[in-house]
PDB file of all heavy atoms in Angstrom:
ATOM      1  N   GLN A 229     125.556 170.071 104.777  1.00  0.00           N
ATOM      2  CA  GLN A 229     126.016 168.764 104.291  1.00  0.00           C
ATOM      3  C   GLN A 229     124.823 167.847 104.027  1.00  0.00           C
ATOM      4  O   GLN A 229     124.767 167.143 103.016  1.00  0.00           O
ATOM      5  CB  GLN A 229     126.930 168.111 105.329  1.00  0.00           C
ATOM      6  CG  GLN A 229     128.301 168.764 105.417  1.00  0.00           C
ATOM      7  CD  GLN A 229     128.988 168.439 106.735  1.00  0.00           C
ATOM      8  OE1 GLN A 229     128.553 167.578 107.483  1.00  0.00           O
ATOM      9  NE2 GLN A 229     130.069 169.144 107.016  1.00  0.00           N
ATOM     10  N   TYR A 230     123.859 167.887 104.960  1.00  0.00           N
ATOM     11  CA  TYR A 230     122.667 167.039 104.792  1.00  0.00           C
ATOM     12  C   TYR A 230     121.920 167.444 103.523  1.00  0.00           C
ATOM     13  O   TYR A 230     121.523 166.614 102.717  1.00  0.00           O
ATOM     14  CB  TYR A 230     121.762 167.174 106.020  1.00  0.00           C
ATOM     15  CG  TYR A 230     120.516 166.337 105.924  1.00  0.00           C
ATOM     16  CD1 TYR A 230     120.582 164.949 106.028  1.00  0.00           C
ATOM     17  CD2 TYR A 230     119.281 166.918 105.677  1.00  0.00           C
ATOM     18  CE1 TYR A 230     119.447 164.170 105.911  1.00  0.00           C
ATOM     19  CE2 TYR A 230     118.139 166.141 105.561  1.00  0.00           C
ATOM     20  CZ  TYR A 230     118.237 164.777 105.682  1.00  0.00           C
ATOM     21  OH  TYR A 230     117.117 164.006 105.552  1.00  0.00           O
ATOM     22  N   ARG A 231     121.809 168.753 103.358  1.00  0.00           N
ATOM     23  CA  ARG A 231     121.086 169.247 102.195  1.00  0.00           C
ATOM     24  C   ARG A 231     121.804 168.857 100.902  1.00  0.00           C
ATOM     25  O   ARG A 231     121.180 168.467  99.914  1.00  0.00           O
ATOM     26  CB  ARG A 231     120.995 170.771 102.306  1.00  0.00           C
ATOM     27  CG  ARG A 231     120.029 171.328 101.348  1.00  0.00           C
ATOM     28  CD  ARG A 231     119.918 172.783 101.397  1.00  0.00           C
ATOM     29  NE  ARG A 231     119.307 173.149 100.116  1.00  0.00           N
ATOM     30  CZ  ARG A 231     118.894 174.322  99.834  1.00  0.00           C
ATOM     31  NH1 ARG A 231     119.014 175.266 100.707  1.00  0.00           N
ATOM     32  NH2 ARG A 231     118.371 174.572  98.667  1.00  0.00           N
ATOM     33  N   GLY A 232     123.138 168.952 100.929  1.00  0.00           N
ATOM     34  CA  GLY A 232     123.938 168.569  99.758  1.00  0.00           C
ATOM     35  C   GLY A 232     123.666 167.124  99.368  1.00  0.00           C
ATOM     36  O   GLY A 232     123.427 166.818  98.200  1.00  0.00           O
ATOM     37  N   LEU A 233     123.676 166.245 100.377  1.00  0.00           N
ATOM     38  CA  LEU A 233     123.440 164.821 100.101  1.00  0.00           C
ATOM     39  C   LEU A 233     122.015 164.598  99.606  1.00  0.00           C
ATOM     40  O   LEU A 233     121.767 163.817  98.687  1.00  0.00           O
ATOM     41  CB  LEU A 233     123.691 163.991 101.379  1.00  0.00           C
ATOM     42  CG  LEU A 233     125.151 163.912 101.812  1.00  0.00           C
ATOM     43  CD1 LEU A 233     125.262 163.308 103.198  1.00  0.00           C
ATOM     44  CD2 LEU A 233     125.945 163.078 100.821  1.00  0.00           C
ATOM     45  N   ASN A 234     121.092 165.311 100.239  1.00  0.00           N
ATOM     46  CA  ASN A 234     119.681 165.205  99.861  1.00  0.00           C
ATOM     47  C   ASN A 234     119.496 165.612  98.396  1.00  0.00           C
ATOM     48  O   ASN A 234     118.811 164.946  97.622  1.00  0.00           O
ATOM     49  CB  ASN A 234     118.892 166.147 100.783  1.00  0.00           C
ATOM     50  CG  ASN A 234     117.468 165.694 100.944  1.00  0.00           C
ATOM     51  OD1 ASN A 234     117.035 164.759 100.288  1.00  0.00           O
ATOM     52  ND2 ASN A 234     116.734 166.357 101.803  1.00  0.00           N
ATOM     53  N   GLU A 235     120.178 166.711  98.029  1.00  0.00           N
ATOM     54  CA  GLU A 235     120.063 167.194  96.642  1.00  0.00           C
ATOM     55  C   GLU A 235     120.653 166.193  95.664  1.00  0.00           C
ATOM     56  O   GLU A 235     120.108 165.957  94.582  1.00  0.00           O
ATOM     57  CB  GLU A 235     120.771 168.549  96.496  1.00  0.00           C
ATOM     58  CG  GLU A 235     119.865 169.690  96.906  1.00  0.00           C
ATOM     59  CD  GLU A 235     120.589 171.027  96.978  1.00  0.00           C
ATOM     60  OE1 GLU A 235     121.814 171.070  96.690  1.00  0.00           O
ATOM     61  OE2 GLU A 235     119.939 172.002  97.341  1.00  0.00           O
ATOM     62  N   GLN A 236     121.778 165.588  96.111  1.00  0.00           N
ATOM     63  CA  GLN A 236     122.430 164.582  95.252  1.00  0.00           C
ATOM     64  C   GLN A 236     121.465 163.431  94.959  1.00  0.00           C
ATOM     65  O   GLN A 236     121.303 163.020  93.814  1.00  0.00           O
ATOM     66  CB  GLN A 236     123.611 164.003  96.015  1.00  0.00           C
ATOM     67  CG  GLN A 236     124.936 164.147  95.312  1.00  0.00           C
ATOM     68  CD  GLN A 236     126.017 163.627  96.235  1.00  0.00           C
ATOM     69  OE1 GLN A 236     125.850 162.602  96.880  1.00  0.00           O
ATOM     70  NE2 GLN A 236     127.120 164.342  96.291  1.00  0.00           N
ATOM     71  N   VAL A 237     120.798 162.962  96.041  1.00  0.00           N
ATOM     72  CA  VAL A 237     119.857 161.846  95.880  1.00  0.00           C
ATOM     73  C   VAL A 237     118.708 162.260  94.960  1.00  0.00           C
ATOM     74  O   VAL A 237     118.291 161.510  94.081  1.00  0.00           O
ATOM     75  CB  VAL A 237     119.331 161.377  97.263  1.00  0.00           C
ATOM     76  CG1 VAL A 237     118.191 160.387  97.118  1.00  0.00           C
ATOM     77  CG2 VAL A 237     120.456 160.738  98.062  1.00  0.00           C
ATOM     78  N   ALA A 238     118.234 163.509  95.148  1.00  0.00           N
ATOM     79  CA  ALA A 238     117.118 163.979  94.314  1.00  0.00           C
ATOM     80  C   ALA A 238     117.538 164.050  92.849  1.00  0.00           C
ATOM     81  O   ALA A 238     116.777 163.693  91.943  1.00  0.00           O
ATOM     82  CB  ALA A 238     116.653 165.341  94.808  1.00  0.00           C
ATOM     83  N   GLN A 239     118.801 164.508  92.622  1.00  0.00           N
ATOM     84  CA  GLN A 239     119.268 164.620  91.236  1.00  0.00           C
ATOM     85  C   GLN A 239     119.378 163.240  90.576  1.00  0.00           C
ATOM     86  O   GLN A 239     119.007 163.062  89.417  1.00  0.00           O
ATOM     87  CB  GLN A 239     120.622 165.308  91.208  1.00  0.00           C
ATOM     88  CG  GLN A 239     120.449 166.800  91.005  1.00  0.00           C
ATOM     89  CD  GLN A 239     121.730 167.557  91.182  1.00  0.00           C
ATOM     90  OE1 GLN A 239     122.792 166.949  91.156  1.00  0.00           O
ATOM     91  NE2 GLN A 239     121.633 168.849  91.362  1.00  0.00           N
ATOM     92  N   ILE A 240     119.882 162.283  91.359  1.00  0.00           N
ATOM     93  CA  ILE A 240     120.000 160.928  90.804  1.00  0.00           C
ATOM     94  C   ILE A 240     118.599 160.385  90.490  1.00  0.00           C
ATOM     95  O   ILE A 240     118.374 159.773  89.444  1.00  0.00           O
ATOM     96  CB  ILE A 240     120.736 159.994  91.793  1.00  0.00           C
ATOM     97  CG1 ILE A 240     122.174 160.472  91.969  1.00  0.00           C
ATOM     98  CG2 ILE A 240     120.730 158.555  91.292  1.00  0.00           C
ATOM     99  CD1 ILE A 240     122.918 159.808  93.100  1.00  0.00           C
ATOM    100  N   ALA A 241     117.650 160.659  91.405  1.00  0.00           N
ATOM    101  CA  ALA A 241     116.275 160.179  91.175  1.00  0.00           C
ATOM    102  C   ALA A 241     115.702 160.833  89.922  1.00  0.00           C
ATOM    103  O   ALA A 241     115.012 160.170  89.133  1.00  0.00           O
ATOM    104  CB  ALA A 241     115.414 160.489  92.387  1.00  0.00           C
ATOM    105  N   ALA A 242     116.024 162.125  89.716  1.00  0.00           N
ATOM    106  CA  ALA A 242     115.507 162.816  88.528  1.00  0.00           C
ATOM    107  C   ALA A 242     116.093 162.198  87.252  1.00  0.00           C
ATOM    108  O   ALA A 242     115.396 161.989  86.260  1.00  0.00           O
ATOM    109  CB  ALA A 242     115.855 164.301  88.613  1.00  0.00           C
ATOM    110  N   GLN A 243     117.415 161.893  87.317  1.00  0.00           N
ATOM    111  CA  GLN A 243     118.037 161.262  86.138  1.00  0.00           C
ATOM    112  C   GLN A 243     117.423 159.892  85.865  1.00  0.00           C
ATOM    113  O   GLN A 243     117.200 159.517  84.714  1.00  0.00           O
ATOM    114  CB  GLN A 243     119.533 161.076  86.383  1.00  0.00           C
ATOM    115  CG  GLN A 243     120.331 162.360  86.215  1.00  0.00           C
ATOM    116  CD  GLN A 243     121.794 162.112  86.534  1.00  0.00           C
ATOM    117  OE1 GLN A 243     122.343 161.110  86.111  1.00  0.00           O
ATOM    118  NE2 GLN A 243     122.395 162.990  87.289  1.00  0.00           N
ATOM    119  N   THR A 244     117.150 159.156  86.953  1.00  0.00           N
ATOM    120  CA  THR A 244     116.544 157.831  86.793  1.00  0.00           C
ATOM    121  C   THR A 244     115.170 157.977  86.154  1.00  0.00           C
ATOM    122  O   THR A 244     114.802 157.215  85.253  1.00  0.00           O
ATOM    123  CB  THR A 244     116.415 157.126  88.160  1.00  0.00           C
ATOM    124  OG1 THR A 244     117.634 157.281  88.859  1.00  0.00           O
ATOM    125  CG2 THR A 244     116.088 155.653  88.025  1.00  0.00           C
ATOM    126  N   ALA A 245     114.420 158.992  86.636  1.00  0.00           N
ATOM    127  CA  ALA A 245     113.073 159.206  86.088  1.00  0.00           C
ATOM    128  C   ALA A 245     113.164 159.546  84.599  1.00  0.00           C
ATOM    129  O   ALA A 245     112.339 159.094  83.796  1.00  0.00           O
ATOM    130  CB  ALA A 245     112.380 160.319  86.854  1.00  0.00           C
ATOM    131  N   LYS A 246     114.208 160.329  84.237  1.00  0.00           N
ATOM    132  CA  LYS A 246     114.372 160.717  82.832  1.00  0.00           C
ATOM    133  C   LYS A 246     114.587 159.478  81.961  1.00  0.00           C
ATOM    134  O   LYS A 246     113.928 159.284  80.942  1.00  0.00           O
ATOM    135  CB  LYS A 246     115.580 161.657  82.725  1.00  0.00           C
ATOM    136  CG  LYS A 246     115.759 162.290  81.378  1.00  0.00           C
ATOM    137  CD  LYS A 246     116.850 163.324  81.457  1.00  0.00           C
ATOM    138  CE  LYS A 246     117.600 163.412  80.156  1.00  0.00           C
ATOM    139  NZ  LYS A 246     118.854 164.113  80.312  1.00  0.00           N
TER     140      LYS A 246
END
Side-chain angles (χ1 to χ4, degrees):
Q229 287 160 12
Y230 180 71
R231 193 181 161 171
L233 290 169
N234 206 354
E235 276 171 1
Q236 237 176 42
V237 171
Q239 267 171 17
I240 295 169
Q243 282 177 44
T244 314
K246 188 172 147 196

